[in-house]
Amino acid sequence: MHLTTLARHALSRGRTPADTYALLARRTRKPLPSARAVCLALTIPHAETTRRLNDCYDALLADPTPGTETDTGELLEALGVFDIPKSLTDTELAIVDHLLTAIDAHGSLRPGHHHGLQRWFTTGNLTTAYLSLTTTHPHPRTGNPTLYWTTLTTAGELLTTTPHSDTRIKYALTHCRTQTTKHQKSTGPTSYSSPPEASVR
């Protein structure tokens, strides 16, 4: 039976992607084809599957140790290798753009948090991504607090227009607006104004 068919069968019987990988890898002793089969069974596009597996091949799949299939499967799942990408609407894509701008403006986002955000973007879990950023304060020196909170305000406003909007967004949005006002007052006008004497001829 084809590996992808086996993976699809295992998943249909309630096995997790990690368990399915371990099952195939123990049977075949071929970690890369096993991981690829799970991805394809989950309907992850072939090009995306190849990219993800290339990223983790050296660390997890190049030199398999017998008996570690379960641990490897759990690591692959934790890394997001088996995350099913969601097709985003134009509004959702705009929200992701704003959240990416906020990430850049943060200035000191932890790698683990950044990884989690990328996974939420992939799976379309934008509410969780947004709420996680609204509880994190940007670095005052390496970041841009005004841009951070302004961008999150815009992202929150867009999120409230999406179907089944989470009620928590409303409270987070109020927090972002408050922070935006606070930082705008502390930094003053963002545009440059020439001193009066410079305009006098």
Side-chain angles (χ1 to χ4, degrees):
M1 188 181 291
H2 194 276
L3 273 183
T4 303
T5 304
L6 277 174
R8 194 175 293 116
H9 178 70
L11 290 167
S12 71
R13 294 179 66 84
R15 286 183 178 270
T16 66
D19 288 341
T20 300
Y21 165 81
L23 175 72
L24 298 183
R26 276 194 296 269
R27 178 176 296 189
T28 66
R29 302 296 182 192
K30 296 178 179 179
L32 181 60
S34 298
R36 182 183 294 112
V38 176
C39 289
L40 296 178
L42 290 167
T43 70
I44 298 170
H46 192 276
E48 177 65 12
T49 292
T50 300
R51 184 192 67 77
R52 294 182 187 185
L53 294 179
N54 283 344
D55 286 346
C56 67
Y57 177 76
D58 289 339
L60 295 176
L61 303 173
D63 188 22
T65 302
T68 62
E69 295 86 0
T70 297
D71 291 340
T72 300
E74 290 174 354
L75 281 170
L76 290 169
E77 193 161 52
L79 289 171
V81 171
F82 301 138
D83 285 351
I84 301 174
K86 179 180 182 292
S87 180
L88 303 181
T89 65
D90 288 344
T91 298
E92 289 171 331
L93 288 171
I95 292 167
V96 170
D97 283 342
H98 287 301
L99 296 181
L100 288 172
T101 299
I103 290 171
D104 288 340
H106 186 279
S108 63
L109 202 65
R110 292 178 293 104
H113 191 180
H114 196 281
H115 174 68
L117 287 163
Q118 292 299 327
R119 292 190 66 186
W120 291 325
F121 294 158
T122 298
T123 57
N125 198 349
L126 304 187
T127 294
T128 300
Y130 174 74
L131 293 174
S132 78
L133 285 171
T134 62
T135 60
T136 305
H137 287 264
H139 196 284
R141 290 191 301 277
T142 59
N144 184 335
T146 301
L147 178 61
Y148 183 78
W149 293 112
T150 302
T151 307
L152 286 182
T153 297
T154 304
E157 290 168 347
L158 286 172
L159 270 170
T160 61
T161 68
T162 58
H164 314 297
S165 176
D166 194 308
T167 55
R168 292 174 297 172
I169 295 172
K170 183 189 302 182
Y171 300 104
L173 182 54
T174 299
H175 172 66
C176 291
R177 286 172 173 156
T178 300
Q179 292 296 321
T180 297
T181 302
K182 172 185 172 183
H183 286 283
Q184 284 176 340
K185 286 181 178 178
S186 65
T187 57
T190 55
S191 59
Y192 176 75
S193 298
S194 299
E197 63 270 21
S199 60
V200 176
R201 298 289 182 184

